[in-house]
Amino acid sequence: MCKDCGCSQPGPFAVHAQPTEPHTHTHTLPDGTVVTHAHDHEHSAEPADQQSHGHGPHDHGHGHAHQILKLDTGILSGNDRIAEQNRGAFKALKLLALNMVSSPGAGKTTLLQKTLLELKDRLRLAVIVGDLATDNDAARLRTTGAPIVQITTGTLCHLEAGMVAKAMLQLDLRALDLLIIENVGNLVCPAAFDLGESLRVVLHSVTEGEDKPLKYPPLFQSADVVIVTKTDMTAAAGFDRDLALKNIRLASPRAKIFELSARTGEGLGAWCDYLVACKSGKAAESAV
Amino acid sequence: MHEFGIMESALATARQKTHAAGATRIHRLKLRVGRLSGVVPEALRFAFDSLKQASPAAGAELEIEEVAAACWCADCAAEFETVSLSYECPRCHQLSGDLRRGRELELASLEIS
């Protein structure tokens, strides 16, 4: 479709307008609107080595045929397509899928360990965990007895939808209620890559200070849930709770906020109840 | 620093579209980058300069159109541009989670021959 007027004539990547002598053409839309466009003559392109770019003293005004291809295509559309397939699969299976993102060391794996144990008898869970190297996180999570798939990304700083699609093949998705995808520890790149998740969960530990949400707007803006972790260390870290919550609300206007300590278990119940409610489609009632 | 991967992906699409249009050279490549895309224009330029050699875009110029973030305020039934990434409506001061623009990461157009 043409993005200028919405007509369907020029096809997905129209050869529109531009350089030398545009001519107009008119066509009528189904609703009767008459649209007039400027279009370029479509020249067959000369081989690059035969084009003359020199316009010397006796410039006789010939133009080499530059054309403008209007594309308006998403650079990550390949990823987005696979993400939509993942999302479709999750929906069809009524599977709640979380994309859990934070900086390295904010406590994703510890929170997951505790969440898996806490929800063991209420939901059937599995985890896909991404890291650059090692399967240390998978080994830690396997102690809970839940199915765990490790993705090692090599040098890549984020998970992509295709990696998740591949990892999904290693799991019996029909036998699950909740799939948690633990992303690579990074507050920047994962923001741009949709994995097909139902909820994007961003962790923010009290040891990171209060202004992380303001420093990393793309990720926090896209958060459905923000969890303040390591609350047992609030005093030791000199963490200003009110300021941090204010910043989270500013940077993540859609997000539900939880505060918890995976180590002491404080606040863990509310988070787990929320997941159970989300799974059963009653999330709004347990929103914090 | 995922700008290299993103630029690789943009150049691959550009190459394919150029070839499909029967052209051999890219003179200008225009990207549309939202303020909330998580991508830094400067890093994209650096990646472009490194990657364009030995491609049909070797002599091409990179143009980046930056798109400001804008939200929809349901109460005012109006769109507002976010100022320094605050999502507060300037009229009624409600926070909006309904982002309408700012996440763009698009290959807008190519000038080819």
Side-chain angles (χ1 to χ4, degrees), chain A residues 3-125:
Chain A
K3 276 214 168 178
D4 289 336
C5 72
C7 78
S8 57
Q9 279 218 335
F13 50 97
V15 180
H16 260 297
Q18 267 301 83
T20 46
E21 296 163 345
H23 69 272
T24 56
H25 94 164
T26 301
H27 54 104
T28 310
L29 302 180
D31 66 359
T33 316
V34 177
V35 178
T36 302
H37 269 301
H39 277 251
D40 190 20
H41 299 283
E42 293 182 33
H43 301 280
S44 62
E46 297 167 318
D49 57 359
Q50 289 171 28
Q51 287 176 4
S52 167
H53 287 258
H55 295 267
H58 58 284
D59 190 333
H60 46 258
H62 74 273
H64 45 260
H66 281 209
Q67 17 170 305
I68 304 287
L69 282 188
K70 288 203 74 179
L71 298 169
D72 297 319
T73 177
I75 295 173
L76 298 178
S77 57
N79 181 76
D80 293 345
R81 258 196 304 278
I82 302 172
E84 281 310 319
Q85 287 166 10
N86 292 350
R87 185 169 283 117
F90 296 145
K91 272 203 174 149
L93 294 163
K94 296 196 168 65
L95 180 60
L96 181 70
L98 309 187
N99 178 5
M100 196 171 265
V101 191
S102 79
S103 55
K108 290 185 295 300
T109 310
T110 305
L111 174 59
L112 279 181
Q113 266 180 311
K114 294 296 173 73
T115 304
L116 291 173
L117 291 172
E118 183 80 15
L119 288 175
K120 214 173 191 170
D121 302 323
R122 297 159 76 190
L123 295 177
R124 298 165 299 169
L125 294 95

Side-chain angles (χ1 to χ4, degrees), chain A residues 13 45 48 51 65-75 189 192-193 217-218 221-222 249-251 253-254, chain B residues 1-2 6 9 17 22 24-25 27 32 36-37 85 87 95-97 99 103 105-113:
Chain A
F13 50 97
Q51 287 176 4
H66 281 209
Q67 17 170 305
I68 304 287
L69 282 188
K70 288 203 74 179
L71 298 169
D72 297 319
T73 177
I75 295 173
C189 312
F193 292 87
Q221 195 282 332
S222 68
R249 285 201 188 93
L250 282 176
R254 289 187 303 120
Chain B
M1 271 307 289
H2 54 308
I6 283 166
S9 169
K17 300 290 187 192
T24 52
R25 274 196 189 180
H27 301 277
R32 196 172 290 126
L36 278 172
S37 65
L85 299 174
Y87 309 106
L95 286 177
S96 166
L99 189 74
R103 286 214 170 267
L105 196 48
E106 295 174 357
L107 178 54
S109 65
L110 295 173
E111 187 178 332
I112 58 173
S113 69

Side-chain angles (χ1 to χ4, degrees), chain A residues 192-204:
Chain A
F193 292 87
D194 183 11
L195 304 179
E197 69 264 21
S198 337
L199 293 175
R200 187 172 285 194
V201 180
V202 178
L203 271 60
H204 175 305

Side-chain angles (χ1 to χ4, degrees), chain A residues 123-259:
Chain A
L123 295 177
R124 298 165 299 169
L125 294 95
V127 176
I128 294 173
V129 52
D131 281 297
L132 269 63
T134 83
D135 66 347
N136 291 352
D137 279 3
R140 276 173 68 189
L141 292 169
R142 276 191 193 108
T143 60
T144 64
I148 310 294
V149 180
Q150 174 88 49
I151 301 173
T152 47
T153 60
T155 56
L156 207 62
C157 50
H158 58 268
L159 288 180
E160 295 185 2
M163 299 173 178
V164 173
K166 228 175 194 176
M168 282 158 63
L169 298 175
Q170 306 290 317
L171 292 165
D172 181 5
L173 297 176
R174 281 169 211 285
L176 293 176
D177 299 308
L178 174 59
L179 174 65
I180 306 182
I181 304 160
E182 182 186 334
N183 217 314
V184 178
N186 182 349
L187 287 176
V188 185
C189 312
F193 292 87
D194 183 11
L195 304 179
E197 69 264 21
S198 337
L199 293 175
R200 187 172 285 194
V201 180
V202 178
L203 271 60
H204 175 305
S205 68
V206 302
T207 53
E208 293 175 81
E210 297 82 14
D211 57 358
K212 276 274 165 19
L214 305 182
K215 286 177 173 169
Y216 298 89
L219 184 65
F220 278 90
Q221 195 282 332
S222 68
D224 298 295
V225 175
V226 175
I227 306 180
V228 178
T229 59
K230 307 189 188 181
T231 53
D232 56 303
M233 295 174 72
T234 299
F239 181 69
D240 183 339
R241 173 178 177 268
D242 291 342
L243 178 59
L245 291 178
K246 185 179 150 225
N247 289 342
I248 292 170
R249 285 201 188 93
L250 282 176
S252 311
R254 289 187 303 120
K256 302 194 189 323
I257 304 172
F258 293 90
E259 298 171 84

